[in-house]
Amino acid sequence: LLLSATLFLVTFAAFGQAPTGTIRGRVMLSGSDKPLHEALITSPQLRRIYASNADGEFEIRDLAPGKYDLIV
């Protein structure tokens, strides 16, 4: 089973706070336009597990600037 994820990293700085960012993505079944719901997304750097919703979408918030590897 092959999966692909489209990821967007959005960063912003709030006044008086350290900059944080958000990773948003959608997990799709490879070779189709069908979203994969309840797909597990992990990141070794964050040591957490996230799940996509019924539309294959996920969001990881309040991230420090840096590089993150995601595994679906």
Side-chain angles (χ1 to χ4, degrees):
L1 179 66
L2 297 173
L3 306 174
S4 62
T6 305
L7 307 174
F8 301 96
L9 178 60
V10 180
T11 59
F12 61 91
F15 182 73
Q17 296 179 358
T20 62
T22 300
I23 297 174
R24 292 183 184 98
R26 187 170 189 201
V27 182
M28 309 290 288
L29 190 60
S30 183
S32 77
D33 60 351
K34 296 180 181 181
L36 193 59
H37 68 283
E38 297 183 19
L40 298 180
I41 300 102
T42 63
S43 173
Q45 292 84 3
L46 299 174
R47 297 182 181 160
R48 298 210 45 201
I49 298 173
Y50 304 88
S52 62
N53 65 17
D55 296 321
E57 300 168 337
F58 68 93
E59 182 174 278
I60 305 171
R61 300 183 195 171
D62 301 321
L63 297 172
K67 180 179 176 181
Y68 297 93
D69 298 309
L70 298 181
I71 302 166
V72 179

Coordinates of all heavy atoms in Angstrom, one line a residue:
L1 N 0.9 -1.2 0.0 CA 0.0 0.0 0.0 C 0.9 1.2 0.0 O 1.7 1.4 0.9 CB -0.9 0.0 1.2 CG -1.8 1.1 1.4 CD1 -2.9 1.1 0.3 CD2 -2.5 1.0 2.8
L2 N 0.8 2.0 -1.0 CA 1.6 3.2 -1.1 C 0.7 4.4 -0.7 O -0.5 4.5 -1.1 CB 2.1 3.4 -2.5 CG 3.0 2.3 -3.0 CD1 3.4 2.5 -4.5 CD2 4.3 2.3 -2.2
L3 N 1.3 5.4 0.0 CA 0.6 6.6 0.4 C 1.3 7.8 0.0 O 2.6 7.8 0.0 CB 0.4 6.5 1.9 CG -0.2 5.3 2.6 CD1 -0.2 5.4 4.1 CD2 -1.7 5.2 2.1
S4 N 0.6 8.9 -0.2 CA 1.3 10.1 -0.4 C 0.6 11.2 0.4 O -0.5 11.1 0.7 CB 1.3 10.5 -1.9 OG -0.1 10.7 -2.3
A5 N 1.4 12.1 0.9 CA 0.8 13.2 1.7 C 1.3 14.5 1.1 O 2.5 14.7 0.7 CB 1.3 13.1 3.1
T6 N 0.4 15.5 1.0 CA 0.7 16.8 0.6 C 0.9 17.6 1.9 O 0.0 17.7 2.7 CB -0.4 17.4 -0.2 OG1 -0.6 16.5 -1.3 CG2 0.0 18.8 -0.7
L7 N 2.0 18.3 2.1 CA 2.3 19.0 3.3 C 2.5 20.5 3.1 O 3.1 20.8 2.1 CB 3.5 18.4 4.0 CG 3.5 16.9 4.2 CD1 4.8 16.4 4.8 CD2 2.4 16.5 5.2
F8 N 2.1 21.3 4.0 CA 2.3 22.7 4.0 C 2.8 23.1 5.3 O 2.2 22.8 6.3 CB 1.0 23.5 3.6 CG 0.4 23.1 2.3 CD1 -0.6 22.1 2.3 CD2 0.9 23.6 1.2 CE1 -1.2 21.8 1.1 CE2 0.3 23.3 0.0 CZ -0.7 22.4 -0.1
L9 N 3.9 23.9 5.3 CA 4.4 24.4 6.6 C 4.2 25.9 6.6 O 4.6 26.6 5.7 CB 5.9 24.1 6.7 CG 6.6 24.6 8.0 CD1 5.9 24.0 9.3 CD2 8.1 24.3 8.0
V10 N 3.4 26.3 7.6 CA 3.1 27.7 7.7 C 3.7 28.2 9.0 O 3.5 27.6 10.1 CB 1.6 27.9 7.8 CG1 1.2 29.4 8.0 CG2 0.9 27.3 6.6
T11 N 4.5 29.3 8.9 CA 5.1 29.8 10.1 C 4.7 31.2 10.3 O 4.4 32.0 9.3 CB 6.7 29.7 10.0 OG1 7.1 30.5 8.9 CG2 7.2 28.3 9.9
F12 N 4.7 31.7 11.5 CA 4.3 33.0 11.8 C 4.9 33.4 13.2 O 5.2 32.5 14.0 CB 2.8 33.3 11.8 CG 2.1 32.4 12.8 CD1 1.8 32.9 14.1 CD2 1.7 31.1 12.5 CE1 1.2 32.1 15.0 CE2 1.0 30.4 13.4 CZ 0.8 30.9 14.7
A13 N 5.1 34.7 13.4 CA 5.6 35.2 14.7 C 4.6 36.0 15.4 O 4.1 37.0 14.8 CB 6.9 35.9 14.5
A14 N 4.3 35.8 16.6 CA 3.4 36.6 17.4 C 4.2 37.6 18.2 O 5.3 37.2 18.6 CB 2.5 35.7 18.3
F15 N 3.7 38.7 18.4 CA 4.4 39.7 19.2 C 4.8 39.2 20.6 O 3.9 38.8 21.3 CB 3.6 41.0 19.3 CG 4.3 42.1 20.0 CD1 5.3 42.8 19.4 CD2 3.9 42.5 21.3 CE1 6.0 43.8 20.1 CE2 4.6 43.5 21.9 CZ 5.6 44.2 21.3
G16 N 6.0 39.2 20.9 CA 6.4 38.8 22.3 C 6.5 37.3 22.5 O 6.8 36.9 23.6
Q17 N 6.3 36.5 21.5 CA 6.4 35.1 21.6 C 7.3 34.5 20.6 O 7.6 35.1 19.6 CB 5.0 34.5 21.4 CG 4.0 34.9 22.4 CD 2.6 34.2 22.1 OE1 2.5 33.5 21.1 NE2 1.6 34.5 23.0
A18 N 7.9 33.3 21.0 CA 8.7 32.6 20.0 C 7.9 32.2 18.8 O 6.7 31.9 18.9 CB 9.3 31.4 20.7
P19 N 8.5 32.3 17.6 CA 7.7 31.9 16.4 C 7.3 30.4 16.5 O 8.1 29.6 16.9 CB 8.7 32.2 15.3 CG 10.0 32.3 15.9 CD 9.9 32.6 17.3
T20 N 6.1 30.1 16.0 CA 5.7 28.8 15.9 C 5.1 28.5 14.5 O 4.9 29.5 13.8 CB 4.6 28.5 17.0 OG1 3.4 29.3 16.7 CG2 5.1 28.7 18.4
G21 N 4.9 27.3 14.2 CA 4.4 26.9 12.9 C 3.4 25.8 13.0 O 3.2 25.2 14.0
T22 N 2.8 25.5 11.8 CA 1.8 24.5 11.7 C 2.1 23.7 10.4 O 2.5 24.2 9.4 CB 0.4 25.1 11.6 OG1 0.1 25.9 12.8 CG2 -0.7 24.0 11.4
I23 N 2.0 22.4 10.6 CA 2.1 21.5 9.4 C 0.7 21.0 9.1 O 0.0 20.4 10.0 CB 3.0 20.3 9.6 CG1 4.4 20.8 9.8 CG2 2.9 19.4 8.4 CD1 5.4 19.7 10.2
R24 N 0.2 21.3 7.9 CA -1.1 20.8 7.5 C -0.9 19.9 6.3 O -0.1 20.1 5.4 CB -2.0 21.9 7.1 CG -2.5 22.8 8.2 CD -3.4 23.9 7.7 NE -3.7 24.8 8.7 CZ -3.2 26.0 8.9 NH1 -2.2 26.4 8.1 NH2 -3.5 26.7 9.9
G25 N -1.7 18.8 6.2 CA -1.6 17.9 5.1 C -2.8 17.1 4.8 O -3.8 17.1 5.6
R26 N -2.8 16.4 3.7 CA -3.9 15.5 3.4 C -3.3 14.2 2.9 O -2.4 14.2 2.0 CB -4.8 16.1 2.3 CG -6.0 15.4 2.0 CD -6.9 16.1 1.1 NE -8.2 15.4 1.0 CZ -9.1 15.6 0.1 NH1 -8.8 16.5 -0.9 NH2 -10.2 14.9 0.1
V27 N -3.7 13.1 3.5 CA -3.2 11.8 3.1 C -4.1 11.2 2.1 O -5.3 11.1 2.3 CB -3.1 10.9 4.3 CG1 -2.5 9.6 3.9 CG2 -2.2 11.6 5.4
M28 N -3.5 10.8 0.9 CA -4.3 10.3 -0.2 C -3.8 8.9 -0.5 O -2.6 8.6 -0.4 CB -4.2 11.2 -1.4 CG -4.5 12.6 -1.2 SD -6.2 12.9 -0.9 CE -6.9 12.7 -2.5
L29 N -4.7 8.0 -1.0 CA -4.3 6.7 -1.4 C -3.5 6.9 -2.7 O -4.0 7.6 -3.7 CB -5.5 5.8 -1.7 CG -5.2 4.4 -1.9 CD1 -4.5 3.7 -0.7 CD2 -6.6 3.7 -2.1
S30 N -2.3 6.4 -2.8 CA -1.4 6.6 -4.0 C -2.1 6.1 -5.2 O -2.7 5.0 -5.3 CB -0.1 5.8 -3.8 OG 0.8 6.1 -4.8
G31 N -2.0 6.9 -6.3 CA -2.6 6.6 -7.6 C -4.1 6.9 -7.7 O -4.7 6.5 -8.7
S32 N -4.6 7.5 -6.7 CA -6.1 7.8 -6.7 C -6.3 9.2 -6.1 O -5.4 9.8 -5.5 CB -6.9 6.8 -6.0 OG -6.8 7.0 -4.6
D33 N -7.5 9.6 -6.1 CA -7.9 10.9 -5.5 C -8.7 10.7 -4.2 O -9.4 11.5 -3.7 CB -8.6 11.8 -6.4 CG -9.9 11.2 -6.9 OD1 -10.2 10.0 -6.7 OD2 -10.7 11.9 -7.6
K34 N -8.6 9.5 -3.7 CA -9.3 9.1 -2.5 C -8.5 9.4 -1.2 O -7.4 9.0 -1.1 CB -9.7 7.6 -2.5 CG -10.6 7.2 -3.6 CD -10.9 5.7 -3.6 CE -11.8 5.4 -4.8 NZ -12.2 4.0 -4.9
P35 N -9.1 10.1 -0.3 CA -8.5 10.4 1.0 C -8.4 9.2 1.9 O -9.3 8.3 1.8 CB -9.3 11.5 1.6 CG -10.7 11.3 1.0 CD -10.5 10.7 -0.3
L36 N -7.4 9.1 2.7 CA -7.2 8.0 3.6 C -7.5 8.5 5.0 O -6.8 9.2 5.6 CB -5.8 7.4 3.5 CG -5.5 6.1 4.1 CD1 -6.4 5.0 3.5 CD2 -4.1 5.7 3.9
H37 N -8.7 8.0 5.5 CA -9.1 8.5 6.8 C -8.4 7.6 7.9 O -8.1 6.4 7.7 CB -10.6 8.5 7.0 CG -11.2 7.1 7.0 ND1 -11.4 6.4 5.8 CD2 -11.7 6.4 7.9 CE1 -11.9 5.3 6.1 NE2 -12.1 5.2 7.4
E38 N -8.2 8.2 9.1 CA -7.6 7.5 10.2 C -6.2 7.0 9.9 O -5.7 6.0 10.5 CB -8.5 6.4 10.8 CG -9.8 7.0 11.3 CD -10.7 5.9 11.9 OE1 -10.2 4.9 12.3 OE2 -11.9 6.2 12.0
A39 N -5.5 7.6 8.9 CA -4.1 7.3 8.7 C -3.2 7.8 9.9 O -3.5 8.9 10.4 CB -3.6 7.9 7.4
L40 N -2.3 7.0 10.3 CA -1.4 7.4 11.4 C -0.2 8.2 10.8 O 0.5 7.7 9.9 CB -1.0 6.3 12.2 CG -2.1 5.5 12.9 CD1 -1.5 4.3 13.7 CD2 -2.9 6.4 13.8
I41 N 0.1 9.4 11.4 CA 1.2 10.2 11.0 C 2.1 10.3 12.2 O 1.7 10.7 13.2 CB 0.7 11.6 10.5 CG1 -0.2 11.5 9.3 CG2 1.9 12.5 10.2 CD1 -1.6 11.6 9.7
T42 N 3.4 9.9 12.0 CA 4.3 10.0 13.1 C 5.5 10.9 12.7 O 5.8 11.1 11.5 CB 4.9 8.6 13.5 OG1 5.6 8.1 12.4 CG2 3.8 7.7 13.9
S43 N 6.2 11.5 13.7 CA 7.3 12.3 13.5 C 8.4 11.9 14.6 O 8.1 12.0 15.8 CB 7.0 13.7 13.7 OG 8.2 14.5 13.6
P44 N 9.5 11.4 14.1 CA 10.6 11.0 15.1 C 11.0 12.2 16.0 O 11.3 12.0 17.2 CB 11.7 10.5 14.2 CG 11.1 10.2 12.9 CD 9.9 11.1 12.8
Q45 N 11.0 13.4 15.4 CA 11.4 14.6 16.2 C 10.4 14.9 17.2 O 10.8 15.4 18.3 CB 11.6 15.8 15.2 CG 12.8 15.6 14.3 CD 12.5 14.8 13.0 OE1 11.3 14.4 12.8 NE2 13.5 14.6 12.2
L46 N 9.1 14.7 17.0 CA 8.1 15.1 17.9 C 7.7 14.0 18.9 O 7.2 14.2 19.9 CB 6.8 15.6 17.2 CG 7.0 16.8 16.3 CD1 5.8 17.0 15.5 CD2 7.4 18.0 17.1
R47 N 8.0 12.8 18.5 CA 7.7 11.6 19.3 C 6.2 11.5 19.7 O 5.8 11.3 20.8 CB 8.6 11.6 20.6 CG 10.0 11.4 20.3 CD 10.8 11.3 21.5 NE 12.2 11.2 21.2 CZ 13.2 11.5 22.0 NH1 13.0 11.9 23.2 NH2 14.4 11.4 21.6
R48 N 5.4 11.8 18.6 CA 4.0 11.8 18.8 C 3.3 11.1 17.6 O 3.9 11.0 16.6 CB 3.4 13.2 18.9 CG 4.0 13.9 20.2 CD 3.1 14.9 20.8 NE 1.7 14.5 21.0 CZ 0.7 15.4 21.1 NH1 1.0 16.7 21.1 NH2 -0.5 15.0 21.3
I49 N 2.1 10.7 17.8 CA 1.3 10.1 16.7 C 0.1 11.0 16.5 O -0.6 11.3 17.4 CB 0.9 8.7 17.0 CG1 2.2 7.8 17.2 CG2 0.0 8.1 15.9 CD1 1.9 6.4 17.7
Y50 N -0.2 11.2 15.2 CA -1.4 12.0 14.8 C -2.2 11.2 13.9 O -1.7 10.2 13.3 CB -1.0 13.3 14.1 CG 0.0 14.2 15.0 CD1 1.3 14.0 14.9 CD2 -0.6 15.1 15.8 CE1 2.2 14.7 15.7 CE2 0.3 15.9 16.6 CZ 1.7 15.7 16.6 OH 2.5 16.4 17.4
A51 N -3.5 11.5 13.7 CA -4.3 10.7 12.8 C -5.0 11.7 11.9 O -5.4 12.8 12.2 CB -5.3 9.9 13.6
S52 N -5.2 11.2 10.6 CA -6.0 12.0 9.7 C -7.5 11.9 10.0 O -7.9 10.9 10.5 CB -5.7 11.6 8.2 OG -6.0 10.3 8.0
N53 N -8.3 12.9 9.5 CA -9.7 12.9 9.7 C -10.4 12.1 8.6 O -9.7 11.5 7.7 CB -10.3 14.3 9.9 CG -10.1 15.1 8.7 OD1 -9.9 14.6 7.6 ND2 -10.2 16.4 8.9
A54 N -11.7 12.2 8.5 CA -12.4 11.5 7.5 C -12.1 11.9 6.1 O -12.3 11.1 5.1 CB -13.9 11.6 7.7
D55 N -11.6 13.1 5.9 CA -11.2 13.7 4.6 C -9.7 13.5 4.3 O -9.2 14.0 3.4 CB -11.6 15.1 4.5 CG -13.1 15.3 4.6 OD1 -13.8 14.5 4.0 OD2 -13.5 16.3 5.2
G56 N -9.0 12.7 5.2 CA -7.6 12.5 5.1 C -6.7 13.7 5.5 O -5.5 13.6 5.4
E57 N -7.3 14.7 6.1 CA -6.6 15.9 6.5 C -6.1 15.7 8.0 O -6.7 15.1 8.8 CB -7.5 17.1 6.4 CG -8.0 17.3 5.1 CD -9.1 18.4 5.0 OE1 -9.8 18.6 6.0 OE2 -9.3 18.9 3.9
F58 N -4.9 16.4 8.2 CA -4.3 16.4 9.5 C -3.7 17.8 9.7 O -3.4 18.5 8.8 CB -3.4 15.3 9.8 CG -2.1 15.4 9.0 CD1 -1.0 16.0 9.5 CD2 -2.0 14.9 7.7 CE1 0.2 16.2 8.8 CE2 -0.9 15.0 6.9 CZ 0.2 15.6 7.5
E59 N -3.5 18.1 11.0 CA -2.8 19.4 11.4 C -2.0 19.2 12.6 O -2.5 18.6 13.6 CB -3.9 20.5 11.6 CG -3.3 21.8 11.9 CD -4.4 22.9 11.9 OE1 -4.8 23.4 10.8 OE2 -4.9 23.2 13.0
I60 N -0.8 19.7 12.6 CA 0.1 19.6 13.8 C 0.5 21.1 14.1 O 1.1 21.8 13.2 CB 1.4 18.8 13.5 CG1 1.0 17.4 13.0 CG2 2.3 18.7 14.7 CD1 2.1 16.6 12.5
R61 N 0.1 21.6 15.2 CA 0.2 23.0 15.6 C 1.4 23.2 16.6 O 1.9 22.3 17.2 CB -1.0 23.5 16.2 CG -2.2 23.4 15.3 CD -3.4 24.0 16.1 NE -4.6 23.6 15.4 CZ -5.8 23.8 15.9 NH1 -6.0 24.4 17.1 NH2 -6.9 23.4 15.3
D62 N 1.7 24.5 16.7 CA 2.6 25.0 17.7 C 4.0 24.4 17.6 O 4.6 24.0 18.7 CB 2.0 24.9 19.1 CG 0.7 25.6 19.3 OD1 0.6 26.7 18.8 OD2 -0.2 25.1 20.0
L63 N 4.5 24.3 16.4 CA 5.8 23.8 16.2 C 6.9 24.8 16.2 O 6.7 25.9 15.7 CB 5.9 23.0 14.9 CG 4.9 21.9 14.7 CD1 5.0 21.4 13.3 CD2 5.3 20.8 15.7
A64 N 8.0 24.5 16.9 CA 9.2 25.4 16.8 C 9.8 25.3 15.4 O 9.6 24.3 14.7 CB 10.2 24.9 17.8
P65 N 10.4 26.4 15.0 CA 11.0 26.4 13.6 C 12.0 25.2 13.5 O 12.7 24.9 14.5 CB 11.8 27.7 13.5 CG 11.1 28.6 14.5 CD 10.6 27.7 15.6
G66 N 12.1 24.6 12.4 CA 13.0 23.5 12.2 C 12.5 22.5 11.1 O 11.5 22.8 10.4
K67 N 13.2 21.4 11.0 CA 12.9 20.4 10.0 C 12.2 19.2 10.7 O 12.7 18.8 11.8 CB 14.1 19.9 9.3 CG 13.9 18.9 8.3 CD 15.2 18.5 7.6 CE 14.9 17.3 6.6 NZ 16.1 16.9 5.9
Y68 N 11.1 18.7 10.2 CA 10.4 17.6 10.7 C 10.2 16.5 9.7 O 9.7 16.8 8.6 CB 9.0 18.1 11.3 CG 9.2 19.1 12.4 CD1 9.1 20.4 12.1 CD2 9.3 18.6 13.7 CE1 9.3 21.3 13.2 CE2 9.5 19.5 14.7 CZ 9.4 20.9 14.5 OH 9.6 21.8 15.5
D69 N 10.5 15.3 10.0 CA 10.2 14.2 9.1 C 8.9 13.6 9.5 O 8.6 13.4 10.7 CB 11.3 13.1 9.3 CG 12.7 13.6 8.9 OD1 12.8 14.2 7.8 OD2 13.6 13.5 9.7
L70 N 8.0 13.3 8.5 CA 6.7 12.7 8.8 C 6.7 11.4 8.1 O 7.1 11.2 7.0 CB 5.6 13.6 8.3 CG 5.5 15.0 8.9 CD1 4.3 15.7 8.3 CD2 5.3 14.9 10.4
I71 N 6.1 10.4 8.8 CA 6.0 9.0 8.3 C 4.5 8.7 8.4 O 3.9 8.9 9.4 CB 6.8 8.0 9.2 CG1 8.3 8.4 9.2 CG2 6.6 6.6 8.7 CD1 9.1 7.7 10.2
V72 N 3.9 8.3 7.2 CA 2.5 8.0 7.2 C 2.4 6.5 7.0 O 3.1 5.9 6.2 CB 1.8 8.7 6.0 CG1 0.4 8.3 5.9 CG2 2.0 10.2 6.1

